[in-house]
């Protein structure tokens, strides 16, 4: 830190120094604004389905303010005096107050942003940007973050801050501040990367190896985040199977059985054809006709017992495993309902039934 300040043209230093002194003076009141904004953002999520993992805030440090206030744009003419990028940094900078909303999954970023932007009685959203360091379009990696610039509407805390701030305009309660929304993985990556690459105490320590490792870490985190998204979607799907008035009540057509099976037991799916009519017939024989019925049958504990009891020589496919689970649950009734005149099937079911009973009796 401090590199911009150290290189600042001497002719511009007095103005920046004056702004820094004023910032130091009013910063305690600005911290009160920061705390108030954090509380207001947190209140938005109370009683909603979306609950961020955590919400943090920060008021820009004096050192960081000085460095940003020292940013310049090139002079219009060669040899001319450069111009400050932020001539009045106390009013030109919109990140003096920052709030961070950290969520679990990428789709929650959009939901959180929309929820915040709907609070029109408190905030007016002036900017809404997706910021990627290493954007998707360029084919590189980095962290993505949603950045909102919000304007407060007649905030009492802001008015108190504006009253102690020297000079015009008069206190209005309107103030621009920044809200960043990102996932927990992106947050962890960005915090560490920012400390090493952007706020390093020794800039000369930066090396291509470090840059490469950050890129590799970003790629791995993106993969992990995709896995978490898949797990969340799978959980929501499976949870729906137990909804008596929703997905759980869906009838067990052959295609429905296939979809439920492939969701619950994707590792047991070796059927060469796509006809699951046989499964519908077996389940219907016992009056199992809804998605909830099938989900209840395909429980991990029952599957584990069946595998131990029958000690399969080969890993069973869906047809054999379903048959064995029904035999485990219904015993001789399953044999009578499904064997019919097929002597070979009856003998196979009877043999497996004896194995199951012996297992249950501990021998």
């Amino acid at each position: 830190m401090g590199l911009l300040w150290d290189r600042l043209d001497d002719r511009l230093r007095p103005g920046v120094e004056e702004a820094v002194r004023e910032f130091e003076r009013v910063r305690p009141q600005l911290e009160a604004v920061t705390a108030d904004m954090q509380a207001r953002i947190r209140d938005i999520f109370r009683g909603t389905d979306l609950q961020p993992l955590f919400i943090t805030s920060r008021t820009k440090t004096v050192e960081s303010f000085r460095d940003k206030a020292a940013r310049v744009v090139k002079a219009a003419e060669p040899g001319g005096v450069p111009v400050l990028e932020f001539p009045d940094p106390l009013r030109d900078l919109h990140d003096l107050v920052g709030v961070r909303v950290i969520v679990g999954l990428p789709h929650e970023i959009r939901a959180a942003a929309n929820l915040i932007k709907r609070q029109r009685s408190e905030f007016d959203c002036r900017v809404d940007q997706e910021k990627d360091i290493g954007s998707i379009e360029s084919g590189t990696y980095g962290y993505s973050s949603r950045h909102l610039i919000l304007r407060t509407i007649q905030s009492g805390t802001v008015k108190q801050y504006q009253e102690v701030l020297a000079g015009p305009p008069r206190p209005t309660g309107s103030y621009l501040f920044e809200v960043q929304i990102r996932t927990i993985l992106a947050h962890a990556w960005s915090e560490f990367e920012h400390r090493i690459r952007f706020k390093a105490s020794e800039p000369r320590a930066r090396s291509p190896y470090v840059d490469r490792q950050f890129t590799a870490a970003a790629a791995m985190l993106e993969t992990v985040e995709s896995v978490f998204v898949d797990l969340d979607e799978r959980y929501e799907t499976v949870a729906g199977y137990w909804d008596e008035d929703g997905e759980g009540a869906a009838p067990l057509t052959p295609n429905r059985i296939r979809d439920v099976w492939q969701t619950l037991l994707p590792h047991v799916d070796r059927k060469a054809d796509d006809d699951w009519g046989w499964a519908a017939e077996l389940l219907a024989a016992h009056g199992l006709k809804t998605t909830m019925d099938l989900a209840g049958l395909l429980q991990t504990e029952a599957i584990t017992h069946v595998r131990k009891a029958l000690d399969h020589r080969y890993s069973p496919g869906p047809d054999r495993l379903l048959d064995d689970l029904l035999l485990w649950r219904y015993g001789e009734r399953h044999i009578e309902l499904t064997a019919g005149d097929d002597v070979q099937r009856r003998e196979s079911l009877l043999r497996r039934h004896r194995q199951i009973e012996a297992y249950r009796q501990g021998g």
Side-chain angles (χ1 to χ4, degrees), residues 226-276:
S226 296
V227 172
F228 285 160
V229 169
D230 179 70
L231 289 172
D232 182 69
E233 291 175 350
R234 186 175 294 272
Y235 170 77
E236 292 298 329
T237 298
V238 175
Y241 295 163
W242 299 97
D243 180 2
E244 296 182 359
D245 300 320
E247 289 294 315
L252 289 177
T253 64
N255 286 344
R256 179 64 171 176
I257 295 172
R258 178 198 62 207
D259 293 343
V260 172
W261 186 283
Q262 290 175 345
T263 299
L264 294 176
L265 301 172
H267 59 292
V268 187
D269 185 22
R270 300 180 180 175
K271 210 167 166 54
D273 58 67
D274 205 33
D275 178 16
W276 286 68

Side-chain angles (χ1 to χ4, degrees), residues 51-103:
Q51 294 298 309
L53 298 179
F54 55 90
I55 298 174
T56 64
S57 65
R58 65 102 184 96
T59 305
K60 206 168 195 64
T61 64
V62 174
E63 184 183 34
S64 180
F65 176 86
R66 184 183 65 180
D67 217 38
K68 199 157 188 178
R71 287 186 183 182
V72 297
V73 294
K74 290 183 178 179
E77 299 177 0
V81 179
V83 178
L84 290 172
E85 185 177 348
F86 305 106
D88 187 358
L90 276 165
R91 294 175 176 82
D92 295 339
L93 294 178
H94 300 155
D95 64 346
L96 300 184
V97 169
V99 177
R100 288 176 181 170
V101 179
I102 308 303
V103 297

Side-chain angles (χ1 to χ4, degrees), residues 106 109 130-136 141-147 181-183 185-187 189-190 222 225:
I109 295 176
E130 290 277 359
K131 288 194 176 180
D132 295 321
I133 297 181
S135 68
I136 295 173
Y141 286 100
Y143 81 90
S144 62
S145 181
R146 187 82 168 259
H147 288 209
I181 312 169
R182 61 177 68 136
T183 65
L185 291 180
H187 177 67
W189 188 94
S190 64
E222 184 174 298
E225 200 163 70

Side-chain angles (χ1 to χ4, degrees), residues 101-114:
V101 179
I102 308 303
V103 297
L105 298 170
H107 74 269
E108 294 176 330
I109 295 176
R110 181 175 61 255
N114 291 340

Side-chain angles (χ1 to χ4, degrees), residues 34 45 47 59 97 107 109 156 159 169 171 195 199 249 271 284 310 338 346:
T34 301
F45 297 95
T59 305
V97 169
H107 74 269
I109 295 176
K159 285 183 179 179
R195 181 167 68 88
K199 292 191 174 182
K271 210 167 166 54
L310 299 179
T338 65
R346 182 178 292 273

